[in-house]
Amino acid sequence: MNEKPFFSPSLMCMDLLDIKNQVNILNSRADFYHVDIMDGHFVKNITLSPDFVKVLSTISTIPIDCHLMVTSPDDYIESLAKAGAGYICPHAETINTDAFRIINKIRSLGCKVGVVLNPATPLSYIQHYIHLVDKITIMSVDPGFAGQPFIREMLDKIREAKRLKQENGYHYLIEIDGSCNEKTYAELYNAGVEVFILGTSGLFNLDADLEKAWDKMREIFRTQTGQ
């Protein structure tokens, strides 16, 4: 049986003119804040930044999870740790030459370590350090933009991550990023997802009032999964 689900609002989808109020609402409801750091190179978009994390950390009461959609993650790790990141999660595709050094650096700075896999990247790509990570994020859309359709082939990757975790006693959380909403909750939860990143369709577009939007999300999730 799956554990209690965790929810991580994607702050690139929030109303950035109302950050403080929305964070105050989410502090008592969410489990993590998902902060996308993009460089305009690894993905053709630029969103949030270490400076945003620094400001967020002054009002957040839950861990800040930084997703590094950047070509050179090492350039961001120290500044994000100093800014208040709880998790630092580079893409597996960007750390192939120095994965162990990156993992050790993140942990030495007091942060938890995550790794993110693009839809076309198999779990076998991280097999030699999978036991070292605290969280695996499986992209269920191609990275870089919100509002994309769900890639169903990722359900098998989620099941594989769950099987490996159970068989080997690994401690990582299994997280999904992309198209988490009423159309996918049941399949994702049953496949083994533990952390659900909530964006426009899953949370912020459900109601103009974020408290009501959260309540609607939880009711939808309970209806779909029983949790």
Side-chain angles (χ1 to χ4, degrees), residues 1-5 7 189 218 221-227:
M1 181 178 290
N2 285 1
E3 301 292 331
K4 166 188 171 293
F7 298 100
Y189 181 76
R218 285 302 283 122
F221 192 90
R222 275 189 289 269
T223 300
Q224 297 294 322
T225 68
Q227 293 296 314

Side-chain angles (χ1 to χ4, degrees), residues 15-49:
D15 181 354
L16 294 177
L17 294 177
D18 193 30
I19 293 174
K20 187 173 183 179
N21 179 56
Q22 293 196 358
V23 168
N24 285 337
I25 290 169
L26 293 170
N27 273 339
S28 61
R29 294 167 171 81
D31 299 289
F32 307 94
Y33 288 125
H34 186 82
V35 176
D36 288 306
I37 310 290
M38 304 182 190
D39 63 358
H41 186 265
F42 181 72
V43 293
K44 294 184 181 300
N45 199 1
I46 295 175
T47 50
L48 307 176
S49 69

Side-chain angles (χ1 to χ4, degrees), residues 21-105:
N21 179 56
Q22 293 196 358
V23 168
N24 285 337
I25 290 169
L26 293 170
N27 273 339
S28 61
R29 294 167 171 81
D31 299 289
F32 307 94
Y33 288 125
H34 186 82
V35 176
D36 288 306
I37 310 290
M38 304 182 190
D39 63 358
H41 186 265
F42 181 72
V43 293
K44 294 184 181 300
N45 199 1
I46 295 175
T47 50
L48 307 176
S49 69
D51 286 338
F52 177 87
V53 173
K54 185 177 181 179
V55 172
L56 176 63
S57 69
T58 66
I59 54 176
S60 172
T61 61
I62 59 178
I64 300 170
D65 177 21
C66 296
H67 175 187
L68 302 188
M69 282 180 268
V70 300
T71 301
S72 301
D74 192 37
D75 294 343
Y76 294 80
I77 290 170
E78 190 168 348
S79 62
L80 284 171
K82 289 181 178 178
Y87 285 76
I88 297 179
C89 308
H91 266 257
E93 301 85 5
T94 67
I95 61 171
N96 193 27
T97 60
D98 56 356
F100 290 89
R101 187 161 59 244
I102 291 289
I103 289 168
N104 290 335
K105 181 173 182 177

